[in-house]
Amino acid sequence: MTRNENVLIIGIAGGTGSGKTTLARHIADAFGDRVAVITHDSYYRAQNDKTYEERCLQNYDHPDAFETELLRDHLQLLCQGQAVEVPVYDYTVHNRSNSTTCVQPRAVILLEGILLFSDPALRDMMDLRIFVDTDADERILRRILRDTEERGRSLASVITQYLTTVKPMHEAFVEPYKRYADIIVPGGGDNPAAIDMIVTRIKKQLGE
């Protein structure tokens, strides 16, 4: 990949509800407008050929649910100094919306997502890989609150999805890839010691 070597790509992975977004926000706050944050969820494949009922039955926790190849292309463009149009995903209808978000090139690109480390080509593009390691009981409780309050899901649907796809896919495609992490953050994204250490490491890699 031809890229600006001064651009840092940092991946933050971990199970559902582990605190990835929280950690990414803390890191982004430390670097301000020098950071671009991209979520893997934005790259869920469009499913315009399926009904809502059919989309509800899809496995959204398998790597095939994502258009990761487009994410890799976008990263390459960002590293070459070009802006990209990132898809906007609508969780309430299980499909991409018609909107996109323009992301400008930045010195630090933060990637956040459950399955980031399961794709070897994407994994190899990262300069720093972080895994947020949080207890399973805490993660499912966070997911229940998030999906019922923010994404319009019923409690029954969240539990069914967790048992049928989320948990088995976590065991197959998330937990095993923790071994590729450079840093493992225990207990979620609100870990001051881990945040300070990560920010210090990023500054060092930026030459600060």
Side-chain angles (χ1 to χ4, degrees), residues 151-181:
R151 299 181 180 178
R153 310 283 169 78
S154 68
L155 176 60
S157 71
V158 176
I159 293 173
T160 297
Q161 185 179 23
Y162 181 81
L163 294 175
T164 57
T165 62
V166 177
K167 186 175 185 292
M169 294 301 99
H170 177 89
E171 293 170 350
F173 297 109
V174 182
E175 191 68 25
Y177 292 90
K178 181 168 63 175
R179 68 183 185 272
Y180 290 104

Side-chain angles (χ1 to χ4, degrees), residues 15-40:
T16 182
S18 60
K20 300 179 300 299
T21 302
T22 299
L23 180 61
R25 185 176 66 249
H26 285 307
I27 297 172
D29 287 345
F31 292 94
D33 59 8
R34 291 184 292 169
V35 172
V37 180
I38 298 176
T39 67
H40 200 190

Side-chain angles (χ1 to χ4, degrees), residues 16-144:
T16 182
S18 60
K20 300 179 300 299
T21 302
T22 299
L23 180 61
R25 185 176 66 249
H26 285 307
I27 297 172
D29 287 345
F31 292 94
D33 59 8
R34 291 184 292 169
V35 172
V37 180
I38 298 176
T39 67
H40 200 190
D41 283 9
S42 297
Y43 293 83
Y44 272 123
R45 295 186 184 278
Q47 302 188 95
N48 300 322
D49 58 332
K50 296 183 175 64
T51 65
Y52 173 76
E53 290 74 20
E54 290 172 331
R55 295 197 297 270
C56 287
L57 299 176
Q58 301 303 303
N59 182 352
Y60 294 97
D61 296 276
H62 190 282
D64 290 346
F66 296 86
E67 193 178 357
T68 302
E69 58 273 25
L70 177 60
L71 172 56
R72 294 196 303 263
D73 289 344
H74 280 178
L75 288 175
Q76 185 165 359
L77 290 171
L78 287 168
C79 288
Q80 293 169 349
Q82 301 180 51
V84 297
E85 294 294 330
V86 174
V88 174
Y89 187 75
D90 187 344
Y91 295 97
T92 63
V93 296
H94 300 285
N95 203 7
R96 282 187 191 174
S97 71
N98 294 322
S99 303
T100 59
T101 299
C102 182
V103 174
Q104 298 290 336
R106 293 290 185 262
V108 179
I109 300 173
L110 281 179
L111 304 177
E112 178 259 302
I114 293 171
L115 299 173
L116 288 180
F117 298 168
S118 67
D119 183 89
L122 179 62
R123 194 172 64 233
D124 288 346
M125 295 176 75
M126 301 173 195
D127 299 291
L128 182 64
R129 294 181 289 270
I130 303 167
F131 189 93
V132 184
D133 201 10
T134 306
D135 180 78
D137 290 342
E138 187 173 349
R139 289 191 291 103
I140 181 55
L141 289 173
R142 289 179 181 174
R143 182 173 179 122
I144 288 171

